[in-house]
């Protein structure tokens, strides 16, 4: 959803004056952003609808039954005998009234399938972003403060490596190194980390079993995030450390620790959060490989299964959910930016 | 049925069409398993390991079914059959080995073998076992057979009505007797209430929305297991059916964990997270097997899966018999099979379109087609072809060039295609590989005849010969038959249809087999397509697993799951 409109954040000329005024401004800004996003989402959804309808046949499965009557009835029921524009309008009308249709693959409600998959993916994204965010910030900050040191060079090297590694390959390497090998090497009854699903059979909830299942997929999805975010964090911190206000603070004799935490870190966080939020939105629909390797029934796997089956009534709302996530995360990023950097006004 | 590419779901063929073209029903693929019911162990069986009572096993499942309403269109994955249907739905016939053959044998649900009264209107009398009950304690009755038959015959969105569409009536003279009257003789009558469908409980489903009750997994059972839960995207868990009147399971619970990624599934098996695997035999599976020690494995080529080169008899250059014969001589099928499965001990190509599971109905007439470039020259020159400056056969300004289509992303098939391409080029043919998705190939291109040469698998899931589905002229998809035929290759072989009709209608097994052998011979003489090899089934299990383990080509690797257990 790169084409979504995004208001520029500009230096404030008289922006956030009172807490009440600030609240009103933030709310108004958020509403405006959401309204502006609607046309973009609709346009994107139409393009996607057109592409999906041109590519996939929702009746593929029915055609296997080779009963022309069944195919004709279903085609009429789904409105497939109409133009793409008409079909889109009908689908969108049903969508906004809460009728997301039924999966042609499973016969289940698309709504329930997506809710279940989204819930699973959100768990992965939450833990992944938390882990990667904290670690990337720490690494980036260290690299910036120790610029051109041996540690900085080593971490830079690892970052490039992390960005370059394909998820499927990394996942299999991690499985071998952190689960299969220790089990075989130390003669364990079970591997220290699991890699099939998010729970062992018969288990549920957030417990030790859950975290033993979660560790490897989270690690897989975070390696590249840590790599890229740490580079961004480093650059952002270097900018902050080289800024006029830091030099001024140093000249005034402000203690280095205070300069770092009160001035440099806070200001470097704003752009960092923007990147984190944007990438997090991408993760909502982008964990196809990770979810496939670890047999996790999330949004990525649902997308893949639906795509292979030509299950358009799941693919379409899937796309809308990802698009809306992009809008919301972008909005959250801008709001976070403004809250962290008082120079930024929301308009 | 056949296989989906990236997510190889295995779907059994419909009742009549025990044989289905792999992609056609777009579901199946390697239907495999083997087995023995105690009559005689299968070729691929493992000596029974003593087990203790109780315990749980976790088995990897590489595909998740779309639904558990077994008679609905959505029940396309054979994994659903293996995991849930076989374990919970009673059927009239089991598939068991008898000597070298796989045969249909009356199941524990039956009091006796069904009786068939031949005639213009064939009557089949089913006597149900008095002890046979559903998991709620209600008896399995003739009303259940009637309900099932009519649901399939008259229902909408039914996966396959073959055989059921011949039912004129079903009467129920008493609770344990059902009489099915067919409109005409039907040699494949044993597939009724067997094969893909079985028998459903009328007292629980009658007058209700069957699909709604069953599609996400159901609570009733007439088999040794019950479905405890089906967590979409995650797992299916079975627990014993305490009311099962036959042999009860040894285990307390079995979980089928969906693990679509083959490499990760193997790692999970090696790490002990999965106790057993039944992987589709792709190239990487072979590689994984070679490096795997300390585990048990069964590899069985005695399957219902037959990979073949399908030639479109309506399309240039395969509209010419000499060209089809020349191609048959150009291809070294033995080398291909050895390359693909040699490491598993499978080296012989198929010499018939009849799969090993119904081997008694097939001959070995294709054995005359071994790689012989002189024979290629002879056939081609005899038909007026001459080689051009590029070494390709040419005639009337056209060269012997064509496209070869299979399923994209299937490494085994891609390797096969590359070998074929080289062999064909050496013989003067140019094959361009143009692979596509299963949906495209079996949903559109193959049915409409939009291909020249194809590579896919034909599957038998019940010991019932069904060559007519693939080769009979009336099975060519047309407007008249509602595009329902499976003769995608548009074969029209003189004298073949009467023989195939005999195979479909002849109730005397000897005469039926004789007709099938004759048909097989006629097919080999006319080379409407070329069989390559059977696709072996592979079952892996670790040392925790005990019991009598063997493969059954019809009912799946877990055909006798009640006998599996935790090894002592």
């Amino acid at each position: 959803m790169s084409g979504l409109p995004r208001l520029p954040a500009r230096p404030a000329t008289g922006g956030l004056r009172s807490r009440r005024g600030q609240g009103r401004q933030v709310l108004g800004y958020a509403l405006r952003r959401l309204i502006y996003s609607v046309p973009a989402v609709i346009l994107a959804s139409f393009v996607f609808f057109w592409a999906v309808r041109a590519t996939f046949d929702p009746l593929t499965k029915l055609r296997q039954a080779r009963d022309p009557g069944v195919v004709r009835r279903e085609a009429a029921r789904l409105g497939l005998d109409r133009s793409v524009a008409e079909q889109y309008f009908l689908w969108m009308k049903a969508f906004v009234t809460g009728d997301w249709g039924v999966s042609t693959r499973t016969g289940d409600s698309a709504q329930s399938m997506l809710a279940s998959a989204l819930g699973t993916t959100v768990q992965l994204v939450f833990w992944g972003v938390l882990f990667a965010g904290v670690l990337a910030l720490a690494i980036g900050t260290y690299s910036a403060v120790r610029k051109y040191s041996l540690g900085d060079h080593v971490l830079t090297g690892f970052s490039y490596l992390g960005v370059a590694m394909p998820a499927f390959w990394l996942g299999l390497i991690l499985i071998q190194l952190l689960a299969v090998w220790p089990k075989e090497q130390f003669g364990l009854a079970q591997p220290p980390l699991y890699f099939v699903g998010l729970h062992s059979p018969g288990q549920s909830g957030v417990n030790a079993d859950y975290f033993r299942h979660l560790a490897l997929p989270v690690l897989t999805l975070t390696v590249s995030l840590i790599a890229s975010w740490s580079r961004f964090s480093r650059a952002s911190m270097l900018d902050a450390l080289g800024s006029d206000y830091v030099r001024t603070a140093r000249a005034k004799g402000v203690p280095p620790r205070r300069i770092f935490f009160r001035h440099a870190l806070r200001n470097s966080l704003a752009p960092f959060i923007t990147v984190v939020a944007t990438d997090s939105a991408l993760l909502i629909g982008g964990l196809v490989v990770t979810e496939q390797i670890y047999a996790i029934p999330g949004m990525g796997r649902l997308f893949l299964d639906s795509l292979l089956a030509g299950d358009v009534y799941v693919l379409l709302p899937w796309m809308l959910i990802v698009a809306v996530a992009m809008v919301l995360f972008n909005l959250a990023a801008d709001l976070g930016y403004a809250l962290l950097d008082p120079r930024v006004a929301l308009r | 049925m056949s296989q989906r590419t990236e997510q190889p779901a295995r779907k059994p063929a419909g009742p009549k069409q025990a044989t289905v073209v792999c992609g056609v029903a777009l579901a199946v693929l390697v239907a495999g398993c083997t087995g023995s019911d105690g009559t005689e162990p299968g070729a691929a069986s493992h000596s029974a390991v003593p087990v203790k009572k109780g315990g749980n096993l976790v088995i990897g499942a590489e595909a998740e079914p779309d639904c558990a309403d077994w008679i609905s269109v959505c029940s396309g994955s054979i994994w659903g059959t293996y995991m849930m249907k076989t374990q919970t739905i009673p059927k009239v016939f089991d598939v068991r080995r008898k000597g070298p053959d796989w045969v249909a044998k009356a199941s524990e649900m039956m009091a006796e073998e069904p009786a068939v009264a031949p005639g213009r209107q064939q009557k089949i009398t089913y006597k149900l076992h008095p002890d046979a009950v559903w998991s709620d304690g209600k008896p399995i009755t003739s009303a259940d057979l009637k309900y099932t038959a009519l649901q399939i015959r008259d229902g909408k969105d039914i996966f396959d009505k073959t055989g059921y569409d011949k039912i004129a009536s079903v009467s129920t003279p008493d609770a344990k007797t059902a009489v099915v009257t067919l409109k005409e003789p039907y040699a494949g009558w044993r597939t009724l209430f067997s094969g893909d469908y079985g028998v459903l409980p009328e007292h629980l489903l009658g007058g209700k929305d069957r699909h709604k009750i069953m599609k996400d997994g159901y609570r009733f059972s007439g088999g040794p297991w019950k479905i405890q839960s089906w967590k979409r995207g995650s797992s299916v868990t079975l627990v014993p059916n305490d009311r099962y009147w036959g042999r009860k399971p040894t285990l307390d619970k079995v979980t089928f964990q969906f693990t679509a990624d083959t490499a990760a599934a193997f790692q999970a098996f090696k790490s002990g997270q999965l106790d057993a695997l039944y992987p589709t035999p792709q190239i990487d599976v072979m590689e994984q097997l070679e490096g795997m020690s300390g585990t048990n494995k069964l590899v069985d080529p005695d399957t219902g899966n037959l990979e073949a080169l399908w030639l479109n008899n309506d399309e240039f250059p395969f509209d010419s018999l000499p060209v089809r014969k020349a191609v048959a001589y150009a291809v070294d099928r033995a080398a291909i099979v050895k390359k693909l499965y040699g490491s598993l001990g499978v080296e012989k190509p198929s010499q018939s379109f009849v799969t090993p599971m119904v081997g008694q109905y097939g001959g070995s007439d294709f054995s005359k087609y071994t790689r012989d470039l002189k024979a290629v020259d002879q056939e081609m020159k005899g038909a007026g072809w001459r080689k051009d400056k590029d070494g390709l056969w040419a005639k009337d300004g056209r060269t012997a060039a064509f496209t070869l289509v299979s399923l994209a992303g299937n490494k085994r098939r891609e390797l096969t295609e590359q070998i074929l391409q080289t062999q064909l080029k050496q013989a003067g043919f140019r094959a361009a590989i143009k692979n596509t998705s299963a949906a495209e190939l079996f949903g559109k291109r193959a049915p409409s005849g939009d291909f020249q040469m194809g590579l896919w698998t034909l599957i038998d899931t019940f010991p019932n010969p069904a060559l007519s589905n693939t080769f009979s002229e009336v099975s060519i998809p047309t407007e008249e038959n509602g595009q329902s035929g499976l003769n995608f290759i548009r074969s029209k072989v003189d004298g073949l249809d009467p023989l195939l009709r005999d195979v479909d209608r002849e109730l005397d097994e000897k005469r039926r087999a004789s007709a099938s052998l004759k048909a097989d011979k006629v097919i080999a003489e006319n080379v409407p397509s070329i069989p390559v090899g059977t696709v072996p089934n592979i079952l892996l299990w670790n040392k925790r697993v005990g019991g009598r383990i063997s493969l059954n080509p019809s009912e799946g690797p877990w055909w006798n799951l009640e006998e599996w257990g935790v090894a002592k």
Side-chain angles (χ1 to χ4, degrees):
Chain A
M1 302 307 298
S2 53
L4 296 176
R6 190 159 164 207
L7 292 184
R10 304 192 330 179
T13 51
L16 307 174
R17 295 185 188 281
S18 67
R19 191 172 291 258
R20 197 171 170 188
Q22 180 186 2
R24 271 205 302 274
Q25 191 179 22
V26 168
L27 186 64
Y29 172 76
L31 283 175
R32 280 199 305 281
R33 277 288 301 274
L34 289 174
I35 291 167
Y36 293 157
S37 301
V38 169
V41 170
I42 289 175
L43 181 64
S45 69
F46 178 74
V47 170
F48 193 78
F49 186 94
W50 175 80
V52 165
R53 282 297 295 113
T55 313
F56 298 108
D57 176 9
L59 303 179
T60 295
K61 184 144 264 177
L62 281 181
R63 292 187 205 283
Q64 294 167 25
R66 307 195 155 271
D67 181 341
V70 172
V71 175
R72 272 196 301 273
R73 272 199 307 278
E74 194 61 10
R77 191 183 72 79
L78 296 173
L80 300 177
D81 45 358
R82 304 182 188 209
S83 70
V84 172
E86 277 181 290
Q87 287 179 48
Y88 172 76
F89 177 74
L90 287 172
W91 172 74
M92 186 52 96
K93 189 177 158 190
F95 179 84
V96 296
T97 56
D99 175 11
W100 291 14
V102 171
S103 161
T104 55
R105 181 168 61 94
T106 68
D108 288 338
S109 136
Q111 219 161 0
S112 66
M113 290 170 75
L114 284 157
S116 168
L118 186 62
T120 303
T121 294
V122 164
Q123 291 178 57
L124 275 184
V125 172
F126 172 79
W127 293 109
V129 168
L130 189 67
F131 181 69
V134 170
L135 216 58
L137 191 61
I139 291 170
T141 303
Y142 172 86
S143 290
V145 173
R146 299 269 187 271
K147 188 170 65 166
Y148 304 136
S149 68
L150 177 63
D152 180 31
H153 285 305
V154 169
L155 289 169
T156 300
F158 275 117
S159 297
Y160 289 132
L161 196 63
V163 169
M165 271 193 288
F168 72 90
W169 184 79
L170 176 65
L172 293 175
I173 293 291
L174 289 176
I175 287 172
Q176 180 63 32
L177 285 181
L178 301 178
V180 178
W181 182 81
K183 180 193 179 276
E184 290 175 347
Q185 189 68 19
F186 302 111
L188 306 173
Q190 288 288 315
L193 298 174
Y194 297 138
F195 49 92
V196 179
L198 281 181
H199 288 102
S200 297
Q203 297 270 354
S204 61
V206 178
N207 50 25
D209 178 75
Y210 172 72
F211 285 110
R212 281 175 80 178
H213 279 84
L214 196 70
L216 284 173
V218 164
L219 204 54
T220 304
L221 81 91
T222 53
V223 163
S224 63
L225 289 181
I226 292 170
S228 60
W229 289 357
S230 63
R231 299 305 300 161
F232 194 86
S233 167
R234 178 182 182 274
S236 181
M237 177 59 78
L238 283 175
D239 273 355
L241 289 174
S243 63
D244 290 343
Y245 56 84
V246 168
R247 271 200 299 276
T248 305
R250 282 198 185 115
K252 287 166 71 177
V254 178
R257 180 179 292 269
R258 187 180 168 90
I259 290 174
F260 178 77
F261 283 108
R262 291 292 299 273
H263 299 283
L265 183 60
R266 178 172 174 157
N267 282 289
S268 73
L269 269 180
F272 179 72
I273 281 179
T274 304
V275 171
V276 169
T278 309
D279 285 354
S280 302
L282 291 173
L283 290 176
I284 293 292
L287 297 179
V288 178
V289 174
T290 305
E291 291 178 354
Q292 183 75 357
I293 290 174
Y294 294 103
I296 295 169
M299 291 287 279
R301 197 147 158 234
L302 181 64
F303 176 77
L304 190 63
D305 290 346
S306 304
L307 195 69
L308 290 173
D311 195 351
V312 298
Y313 296 103
V314 174
L315 287 173
L316 293 168
W318 184 96
M319 184 282 304
L320 271 186
I321 287 176
V322 173
V324 169
M326 292 291 293
V327 169
L328 294 178
F329 275 87
N330 268 294
L331 176 59
D334 285 351
L335 294 176
Y337 204 120
L339 291 173
L340 284 166
D341 188 346
R343 296 169 302 173
V344 174
L346 297 172
R347 295 199 171 178
Chain B
M1 325 278 215
S2 76
Q3 149 191 40
R4 276 179 214 150
T5 27
E6 287 305 308
Q7 223 174 334
R10 310 174 186 204
K11 170 67 191 174
K16 153 185 162 188
Q17 50 223 70
T19 301
V20 178
V21 176
C22 202
V24 177
L26 268 196
V28 181
L29 172 53
V30 183
C33 323
T34 9
S36 54
D37 64 337
T39 338
E40 188 178 319
S45 63
H46 192 267
S47 51
V49 173
V51 297
K52 52 192 174 191
K53 184 73 184 158
N56 305 334
L57 291 180
V58 182
I59 297 171
E62 63 182 32
E64 178 176 20
D66 292 339
C67 82
D69 176 10
W70 308 119
I71 67 179
S72 165
V73 169
C74 62
S75 65
S77 164
I78 202 166
W79 277 92
T81 302
Y82 292 164
M83 289 186 287
M84 292 184 272
K85 203 213 82 180
T86 299
Q87 321 301 340
T88 59
I89 302 296
K91 54 190 183 299
V92 167
F93 286 105
D94 292 327
V95 175
R96 297 291 181 263
R97 184 183 277 285
K98 185 179 178 187
D101 302 327
W102 290 95
V103 297
K105 181 183 176 228
S107 74
E108 289 181 320
M109 183 180 73
M110 306 304 294
E112 57 193 53
E113 191 88 11
V116 181
R120 286 187 63 191
Q121 283 204 312
Q122 182 182 338
K123 277 185 191 294
I124 311 160
T125 303
Y126 299 87
K127 294 270 187 191
L128 296 167
H129 196 287
D131 294 342
V133 292
W134 296 103
S135 50
D136 60 3
K138 304 277 187 197
I140 298 177
T141 68
S142 53
D144 296 327
L145 268 70
K146 183 173 184 176
Y147 168 79
T148 306
L150 298 183
Q151 283 284 300
I152 298 170
R153 188 192 70 176
D154 304 333
K156 291 175 183 171
D157 304 342
I158 300 300
F159 183 77
D160 189 346
K161 296 191 177 197
T162 307
Y164 294 87
D165 54 5
K166 298 180 192 301
I167 292 176
S169 64
V170 183
S171 62
T172 53
D174 64 58
K176 287 290 182 179
T177 306
V179 180
V180 173
T181 304
L182 301 180
K183 296 173 194 165
E184 60 186 19
Y186 177 43
W189 64 272
R190 287 182 181 82
T191 58
L192 300 174
F193 311 111
S194 301
D196 290 346
Y197 293 155
V199 176
L200 301 175
E202 189 273 341
H203 73 286
L204 295 173
L205 302 175
K208 296 177 185 165
D209 186 342
R210 180 203 78 247
H211 183 70
K212 192 175 176 185
I213 293 171
M214 292 185 68
K215 74 182 180 68
D216 294 319
Y218 39 86
R219 296 290 162 261
F220 63 82
S221 172
W225 298 89
K226 286 191 297 187
I227 301 167
Q228 185 187 52
S229 64
W230 177 3
K231 294 179 187 165
R232 287 275 185 189
S234 178
S235 61
V236 164
T237 300
L238 304 177
V239 292
N241 169 14
D242 295 333
R243 287 219 165 92
Y244 187 60
W245 65 97
R247 177 172 179 156
K248 291 191 174 61
T250 303
L251 291 162
D252 292 330
K253 188 184 284 187
V254 172
T255 301
F256 291 95
Q257 186 88 46
F258 306 133
T259 45
D261 186 86
T262 307
F266 269 93
Q267 295 284 46
F269 177 67
K270 282 164 75 175
S271 75
Q273 284 179 86
L274 301 176
D275 294 307
L277 278 184
Y278 185 57
T280 299
Q282 298 290 352
I283 295 299
D284 53 354
V285 169
M286 311 302 170
E287 290 166 359
Q288 298 261 16
L289 282 175
E290 284 166 12
M292 199 172 285
S293 60
T295 59
N296 299 303
K297 80 179 170 202
L298 281 178
V299 179
D300 187 10
D302 191 10
T303 72
N305 324 314
L306 189 141
E307 189 118 302
L309 277 177
W310 302 99
L311 312 177
N312 189 335
N313 290 212
D314 261 2
E315 285 284 318
F316 175 86
F318 303 117
D319 50 358
S320 154
L321 175 59
V323 172
R324 296 199 300 269
K325 281 189 172 176
V327 168
Y329 284 121
V331 175
D332 189 345
R333 295 176 295 134
I336 292 171
V337 171
K338 189 173 181 182
K339 175 73 178 171
L340 294 175
Y341 305 120
S343 60
L344 297 171
V346 181
E347 300 190 350
K348 289 184 181 171
S350 296
Q351 306 298 7
S352 162
F353 278 98
V354 174
T355 66
M357 188 172 65
V358 283
Q360 65 271 37
Y361 297 101
S364 57
D365 299 282
F366 271 90
S367 57
K368 62 185 169 192
Y369 299 108
T370 54
R371 184 164 165 85
D372 182 348
L373 296 185
K374 281 184 183 168
V376 174
D377 289 354
Q378 202 174 339
E379 292 290 344
M380 294 300 281
K381 284 177 180 170
W385 293 76
R386 294 292 176 268
K387 283 197 174 171
D388 64 11
K389 60 182 170 42
D390 297 324
L392 294 176
W393 293 109
K395 183 182 176 185
D396 301 333
R398 299 178 80 179
T399 54
F402 49 86
T403 56
L404 168 56
V405 64
S406 191
L407 303 176
N410 184 314
K411 283 193 238 172
R412 171 168 54 80
R413 291 201 171 114
E414 284 168 0
L415 177 61
T416 309
E417 288 176 318
Q418 287 159 13
I419 299 171
L420 281 168
Q421 202 174 32
T422 305
Q423 293 178 353
L424 288 166
K425 188 177 178 188
Q426 288 166 352
F429 299 96
R430 182 163 59 211
I433 298 170
K434 272 198 166 182
N435 292 340
T436 186
S437 67
E440 173 71 13
L441 179 55
F442 300 122
K444 293 179 185 170
R445 292 186 60 182
S448 62
D450 179 19
F451 71 102
Q452 288 173 294
M453 177 187 276
L455 175 69
W456 60 76
T457 306
L458 172 148
I459 306 286
D460 281 338
T461 55
F462 198 79
N464 181 53
L467 285 172
S468 63
N469 292 327
T470 314
F471 296 104
S472 164
E473 211 170 318
V474 294
S475 293
I476 296 173
T478 58
E479 283 296 323
E480 288 71 38
N481 63 22
Q483 305 294 332
S484 64
L486 298 177
N487 182 355
F488 296 160
I489 57 173
R490 273 75 185 159
S491 87
K492 297 168 193 165
V493 177
D494 286 344
L496 181 59
D497 272 22
L499 291 169
L500 294 176
R501 202 159 40 241
D502 286 347
V503 177
D504 286 345
R505 299 176 63 137
E506 180 57 62
L507 296 178
D508 180 275
E509 272 304 312
K510 280 187 183 167
R511 286 206 292 266
R512 190 180 192 209
S514 170
S516 185
L517 286 166
K518 283 179 193 163
D520 212 25
K521 194 176 181 67
V522 172
I523 289 171
E525 282 165 4
N526 288 275
V527 201
S529 286
I530 304 165
V532 177
T534 54
V535 183
N537 289 325
I538 302 166
L539 179 62
L540 308 172
W541 68 100
N542 65 24
K543 290 188 163 66
R544 281 190 71 226
V545 183
R548 187 166 64 103
I549 295 172
S550 67
L551 288 163
N552 180 314
S554 173
E555 295 178 10
W558 306 291
W559 65 281
N560 65 339
L561 191 60
E562 64 277 12
E563 295 182 48
W564 286 40
V566 175
K568 276 184 183 170

